[in-house]
Amino acid sequence: MSNAHPIPFRAILRHVLLIAGAALMLAPFIWMISTASKPQTEIFSSELHLIPHQFALMENLREAFAKANLLRFLLNGIIVTVSIFVLQVMVALPAAYALAKLRFLGRETLFALVLFGILIPPQATAIPVFLLLHKIGLLDSYAALVLPFTISVFGIFLMRQFFKTVPDDLVDAARMDGISEFGIVWRVMLPAAIPAVTAFGIFSVVAHWNDYFWPLIVLNSEHLRTPPLAVAHFRNSEAGTSYGPLMAAAMVIIAPLVIAFLFAQRRFIEGITLTGIK
Amino acid sequence: MAQIELSAIRKSFDGTDVLKGIDFRIADGEFISLVGPSGCGKSTLLRIIAGLEPQNSGEVHIDGRPVDGIRPSARNLAMVFQSYALYPHLSAFDNIAVPLRMRRLSAIERLPLLGALLPGRRAKERHIRADIEGIAEQLDITPLLRRKPGQLSGGQRQRVAVGRAMVREPLAFLFDEPLSNLDAKLRVHMRAELAELHRRLKATFVYVTHDQAEAMTMSSRIAVMMGGELIQAGTPAEIYNEPGDIRVAEFIGSPKINVLPGRIRKDGGVDVLGTTLKLTCNAAAGDCRIAVRPERIELGTGPFSGTVVHLENLGAEAFVHLAVEGTGSRLIARLADVRHLPAMASSVAFGFASDAVRMFDPAGKRIELRVEQAERVREPAHV
């Protein structure tokens, strides 16, 4: 019998493992929603229960919006991530075009440097960049949040790999038609590379929306805070952390990404497989 | 309408010489085919004419004007690519419109939204539309103008690409193997269409292909390139009948020309496969090669005999592959009458007329022959 049905057993095992993995991944989110729905007294009670006895989500949300200017933080998040992405594309596309389609001395060396740049973690350059921003007096501004990320070596690499697959004939046809080299980047290569640009956009927006480290070190002013800092706002060592509103705020700030994911699930998955980032 | 003059064009990539000094003159209104095996430099030469590739030395003149260092678009040539190279995100109409918009609209007028507000733009767009519709009518692609290249078949894309080339009324058209992505049937059809287009436009066509059938059927002149050199140029009939080099003889013609080892005697006579031909030449005694086209091999009579090793019956004609007895040589004979095919493995006598023979020295250069009185090859001479 077991020989006749080897596949169902394996399939069951596979599903059990996958469900366990999914549950593990989802647990913090479920706990976040659970905590956000509980009143303060239940959060600190010693018994462990997922469904609150008294449903307090609305109160916690109200308190979260009252204590911190959450809408402002969400707007900051949009301003910063969109500016970063637009500037990254404006830098990466011409650079990637040059590396993929133009012949010039030192092209391979430059490309090797780009690859090398991918290996450097942002934390390693944080202090020099911080000092630089301090010297030019840009700390504690939108510019401090945006400028360090405008040149994305990963973006250049990704677009260069994609441009390599665009046939040379297309570029030559554009030259015969009288389109300038910059024109080729925006009128020919960009439309051809929309899937790659989308993928890179998803990667870039997710990374910078969720970035906690860099905004934390360059910002002082409250009105410039990005969404992850908004959550930290509820941590208070003196009066004790108010977990209910904190979790409610966390729910609010991840909501845009979750909604975007639900709307463009297929694109997200394509993008993430294309960029090879998990 | 232009004449194109190439003088001493040299090009090398990473130390490899791709073009070794090409001198060539393309007359106004000619249909020139550049043919040769892949890697012979024909596409590179076309790209140098177009300005897409700079030559290392030498000059290109178009209508007597040097164009070296002039941008491709400013040379006013149009090119049709092997992959058609249509912009995938634009409709057929917009694809054809690109060269016109680039030339007739200013940079500000080309801006996506702002441009449409400018006063002169609408009148210009009307002219562009009229021009494109005229071209579409000529090429029979009017119903396809709204479609994107992805929704068009190979032949339709080909026509759109030709339309994009025609619409700018260029001095000359450059074609880079434009038919090689089409299936065999469509290729034959497009061959006739391109030849017809050339007759109608009376423009200069430079056509690169590795397919000798395309070159033979369409061009007014063929230039055969091998290993970075242009070895012979002439009308299709000249190239076929009077090849100046054995590589030309072997490249042009399908099936390939038959080549047999021969020997030139001291008195100028020529021996092939133990038989003396009714020919003389002035070349020094030594080895040579004899070439005869498959259709000039006559089966049934003649001084030679061979065994049938393979038969290819194409319906209208047939090819008989013979192994010549007593030697390792193989040759192919074309039979126009397929009703009387020799049996496989049978022995067949064959011969060829003296004027069918083309002779080449060991280096591959043509040797001139004088045909003696009689037409047929003499019976084996017992010396």
Side-chain angles (χ1 to χ4, degrees):
Chain A
M1 276 305 277
S2 65
N3 274 349
H5 301 283
I7 298 150
F9 174 71
R10 288 180 132 210
I12 289 167
L13 187 71
R14 200 159 53 223
H15 280 86
V16 166
L17 283 173
L18 284 173
I19 288 167
L24 199 67
M25 291 293 156
L26 279 173
F29 290 93
I30 293 168
W31 195 248
M32 173 186 76
I33 295 168
S34 166
T35 311
S37 311
K38 289 174 183 171
Q40 189 83 345
T41 49
E42 268 186 62
I43 292 171
F44 289 113
S45 75
S46 54
E47 56 173 318
L48 209 65
H49 57 275
L50 216 53
I51 315 286
H53 302 306
Q54 200 190 343
F55 207 69
L57 179 62
M58 288 320 287
E59 287 77 11
N60 282 332
L61 277 174
R62 200 173 302 127
E63 198 181 333
F65 275 94
K67 265 181 122 176
N69 195 352
L70 273 189
L71 288 177
R72 173 71 199 228
F73 297 156
L74 289 174
L75 180 68
N76 285 343
I78 291 168
I79 291 172
V80 169
T81 50
V82 169
S83 316
I84 289 176
F85 175 58
V86 168
L87 289 170
Q88 278 176 337
V89 167
M90 285 173 69
V91 173
L93 254 60
Y97 172 70
L99 287 172
K101 294 288 178 199
L102 302 181
R103 279 202 302 260
F104 55 90
L105 199 68
R107 182 177 78 164
E108 299 313 312
T109 319
L110 268 179
F111 184 58
L113 284 174
V114 167
L115 287 177
F116 182 66
I118 295 177
L119 300 179
I120 300 171
Q123 288 80 1
T125 54
I127 292 171
V129 172
F130 181 88
L131 291 175
L132 183 73
L133 289 170
H134 170 68
K135 282 268 189 309
I136 51 179
L138 282 178
L139 280 180
D140 199 22
S141 68
Y142 281 130
L145 291 173
V146 173
L147 284 183
F149 304 105
T150 50
I151 300 173
S152 164
V153 277
F154 175 69
I156 294 172
F157 170 73
L158 182 75
M159 296 317 296
R160 184 255 184 197
Q161 296 308 90
F162 194 85
F163 285 173
K164 275 271 176 198
T165 66
V166 174
D168 287 343
D169 277 359
L170 197 61
V171 177
D172 287 336
R175 286 183 187 140
M176 295 295 293
D177 285 344
I179 305 181
S180 67
E181 294 296 311
F182 266 103
I184 291 173
V185 173
W186 304 117
R187 292 164 162 270
V188 181
M189 299 306 261
L190 175 63
I194 286 296
V197 173
T198 320
F200 175 62
I202 289 162
F203 165 79
S204 162
V205 167
V206 170
H208 293 108
W209 182 270
N210 289 333
D211 189 17
Y212 180 65
F213 171 74
W214 187 251
L216 186 66
I217 63 171
V218 294
L219 290 186
N220 272 327
S221 318
E222 192 179 318
H223 69 277
L224 291 175
R225 285 186 180 174
T226 57
L229 288 183
V231 178
H233 185 81
F234 292 91
R235 269 187 23 233
N236 191 328
S237 48
E238 286 162 36
T241 304
S242 41
Y243 284 104
L246 185 148
M247 289 299 176
M251 270 175 68
V252 171
I253 70 146
I254 67 163
L257 291 185
V258 172
I259 291 167
F261 176 75
L262 291 179
F263 272 105
Q265 197 171 0
R266 184 183 294 264
R267 283 249 173 249
F268 259 83
I269 292 167
E270 275 173 12
I272 285 160
T273 38
L274 189 64
T275 52
I277 298 293
K278 60 169 174 17
Chain B
M1 319 302 112
Q3 54 170 346
I4 299 168
E5 215 179 316
L6 307 169
S7 37
I9 301 286
R10 284 175 181 280
K11 176 76 187 173
S12 59
F13 288 114
D14 303 326
T16 330
D17 289 335
V18 181
L19 295 174
K20 302 166 184 165
I22 303 278
D23 289 290
F24 194 48
R25 195 190 174 90
I26 300 167
D28 185 14
E30 244 185 326
F31 193 135
I32 282 280
S33 289
L34 299 175
V35 289
S38 46
C40 70
K42 56 193 190 300
S43 284
T44 310
L45 187 62
L46 193 75
R47 292 168 58 80
I48 287 173
I49 297 174
L52 293 169
E53 200 83 66
Q55 66 271 32
N56 294 116
S57 66
E59 283 175 356
V60 180
H61 290 257
I62 297 175
D63 273 344
R65 199 165 56 96
V67 292
D68 310 300
I70 292 182
R71 281 190 301 125
S73 56
R75 296 187 183 194
N76 200 10
L77 307 171
M79 190 151 166
V80 177
F81 295 87
Q82 181 179 356
S83 60
Y84 321 127
L86 298 174
Y87 307 112
H89 60 289
L90 297 180
S91 67
F93 178 90
D94 287 323
N95 262 288
I96 301 175
V98 167
L100 292 184
R101 290 200 176 124
M102 291 313 294
R103 194 179 322 166
R104 294 186 193 168
L105 303 183
S106 65
I108 301 169
E109 284 174 324
R110 285 198 302 269
L111 285 178
L113 293 168
L114 190 65
L117 301 173
L118 293 174
R121 160 101 188 228
R122 296 213 14 218
K124 285 182 186 173
E125 276 292 335
R126 250 199 322 276
H127 275 120
I128 290 173
R129 173 165 293 275
D131 285 359
I132 293 171
E133 277 162 3
I135 295 285
E137 198 131 318
Q138 286 184 53
L139 292 170
D140 209 12
I141 50 172
T142 312
L144 309 175
L145 285 179
R146 290 166 158 275
R147 298 208 204 151
K148 296 254 171 90
Q151 299 162 302
L152 300 174
S153 71
Q156 291 169 334
R157 281 183 219 178
Q158 180 67 65
R159 274 173 223 223
V160 174
V162 170
R164 183 173 64 176
M166 276 168 70
V167 76
R168 52 194 295 184
E169 294 171 351
L171 291 171
F173 289 82
L174 311 176
F175 293 89
D176 190 3
E177 310 215 6
L179 304 186
S180 49
N181 281 357
L182 301 178
D183 61 63
K185 214 169 168 184
L186 198 54
R187 208 177 310 164
V188 173
H189 175 75
M190 288 304 287
R191 233 153 59 185
E193 254 182 41
L194 281 179
E196 151 74 24
L197 185 73
H198 175 249
R199 276 192 294 276
R200 206 170 58 218
L201 297 176
K202 297 183 176 63
T204 312
F205 276 36
V206 185
Y207 189 100
V208 161
T209 179
H210 64 268
D211 182 345
Q212 42 101 11
E214 284 175 20
M216 292 294 289
T217 48
M218 294 189 288
S219 14
S220 38
R221 266 202 308 158
I222 295 178
V224 185
M225 292 181 66
M226 301 263 171
E229 281 168 295
L230 200 158
I231 43 182
Q232 196 180 355
T235 63
E238 274 168 29
I239 296 281
Y240 188 79
N241 293 321
E242 305 297 337
D245 190 296
I246 191 140
R247 290 174 293 170
V248 176
E250 286 188 320
F251 187 75
I252 301 290
S254 172
K256 226 163 94 170
I257 198 164
N258 298 299
V259 179
L260 301 169
R263 205 171 161 73
I264 304 170
R265 294 193 315 237
K266 288 222 173 63
D267 62 359
V270 180
D271 291 340
V272 173
L273 305 173
T275 304
T276 304
L277 303 179
K278 275 219 161 228
L279 297 164
T280 52
C281 68
N282 289 334
D287 286 334
C288 68
R289 279 179 284 179
I290 302 294
V292 183
R293 294 276 175 205
E295 67 273 18
R296 300 298 299 269
I297 305 270
E298 292 158 32
L299 294 184
T301 56
F304 309 102
S305 68
T307 315
V308 179
V309 289
H310 185 53
L311 283 171
E312 289 175 301
N313 186 350
L314 303 178
E317 56 182 358
F319 299 113
V320 182
H321 294 237
L322 297 169
V324 184
E325 274 150 29
T327 62
S329 301
R330 289 269 193 122
L331 49 77
I332 301 173
R334 177 179 173 274
L335 268 187
D337 184 2
V338 297
R339 285 168 304 175
H340 302 102
L341 290 179
M344 276 292 287
S346 63
S347 181
V348 191
F350 69 90
F352 39 83
S354 298
D355 67 346
V357 174
R358 303 289 174 267
M359 197 163 82
F360 301 91
D361 67 16
K365 287 277 158 280
R366 178 82 178 270
I367 302 172
E368 284 310 317
L369 294 170
R370 280 191 308 276
V371 179
E372 289 173 15
Q373 328 66 348
E375 266 289 288
R376 292 261 173 263
V377 174
R378 208 192 300 161
E379 290 300 309
H382 301 285
V383 190

